[in-house]
Amino acid sequence: MTYLASNKPITMPELGRMKHDGQKIAMLTGYDASFAALEDRCGVDVILVGDSLGMCVYGYEGTIPVTMDQCIVHCQAVRRGAPNTFVMGDMPFMSYQKSDEDAVANAGRFLKEAMVDAIKLEGGRRVITRIRAILDAGMVVCGHIGLTPQSSGQLGGHKAQGRTAESAQALIEDALAIEEAGAQLLLLEAVPPEVAGFITRRLAIPVYSIGAGPDCDGQLLIVSDMIGQFQAFTPKFVKKYADVAGVVTAAMKAYVQDVKKGAFPADEHCYHMLEGEKQKWQALTQKYAK
Ligand code: KIV
């Protein structure tokens, strides 16, 4: 199947130019080709194939069980659906924690097997050698600090970060280290707007927000949250733009009722015998009648 793609490829320099010109960028997560195609057509600038696919697609409680192979398969699908959109692959837990070599090998898989434009990994100063190693291999890197779900155990749960001066300082130090290492993008998750705004203005690289207020260079939401599909929980920072679960539930209930009462399929949903075959068909039914 081919999807109707926009013909406006978004590149890394373009994202830098948008920051420079004060043009906000719109990011969404995406996990499959059909949604990626819709996102592309709706003007989404960047699609993150997040490890949130663990909850949104696979029904895990969190992101920890997500594997490299799962991430690659979903990045490939998104790439097929949105060939011109800037696609970012998300490094899952234990794909970069062990060593710089591991990090480079796994980051490389995202490019070689799924042709993503950038890869994202969680953590600040403690993953700085990983970021440098991936950059040295020629890839585009997006840092991710604030609430980092893969280390939420250490953070005491899925909690906003940077709400005290001390913790805000740690975020600023992490952001500066990530930029200094050479990363081209930064994502801030669940951080007070005053801290996120300061970091955005302080850094030359584009800084994006998920739950970090309006002053960043762009916004990210998890697509399953913003369309009202994911039901298990909804973070405070989510704005729901649709009630897909409601629409789908109504449609499924109507289908079940139609099937039960024999109202589906109707004649227009059937393939009838071809004209001129009726006589032969009648002869057949006689031949095989009990
Ligand atoms: O996996 C994901 O979608 C993410 C966002 C929550 C930032 O990493």
Side-chain angles (χ1 to χ4, degrees), residues 8-12 15 25-33 36-37 39-40 44-50 71-90 110-111 114-120 140-142 185:
K8 172 188 65 90
I10 301 245
T11 57
M12 191 48 243
L15 293 173
I25 84 121
M27 286 171 83
L28 276 178
T29 65
Y31 313 109
D32 63 45
E39 291 178 20
D40 173 76
V44 170
D45 301 300
V46 175
I47 301 177
L48 169 66
V49 187
C71 289
I72 296 290
V73 164
H74 288 276
C75 282
Q76 289 169 334
V78 166
R79 177 84 291 165
R80 282 192 288 271
N84 291 330
T85 307
F86 194 92
V87 173
M88 210 185 304
D90 197 12
F110 278 98
L111 265 77
M115 292 182 296
V116 302
D117 298 287
I119 61 103
K120 172 174 92 56
V140 175
V141 172
C142 178
L185 303 160

Side-chain angles (χ1 to χ4, degrees), residues 29 31 48-53 55-56 63 90 120 122 144 147 149-150 187-189 210 220-222 237:
T29 65
Y31 313 109
L48 169 66
V49 187
D51 61 357
S52 50
L53 64 85
M55 293 92 84
C56 299
T63 59
D90 197 12
K120 172 174 92 56
E122 295 183 7
H144 175 179
L147 169 50
Q150 290 173 16
L187 180 68
L188 299 176
E189 178 166 356
I210 176 161
L220 166 69
L221 280 178
I222 291 186
F237 56 73

Side-chain angles (χ1 to χ4, degrees), residues 91 94-106 121 129-131 133-134:
M91 299 198 69
M94 290 319 288
S95 67
Y96 59 97
Q97 279 85 351
K98 265 190 288 180
S99 66
D100 291 354
E101 290 71 25
D102 247 33
V104 173
N106 284 317
L121 69 163
T129 67
R130 308 289 190 268
I131 292 178
I134 297 167

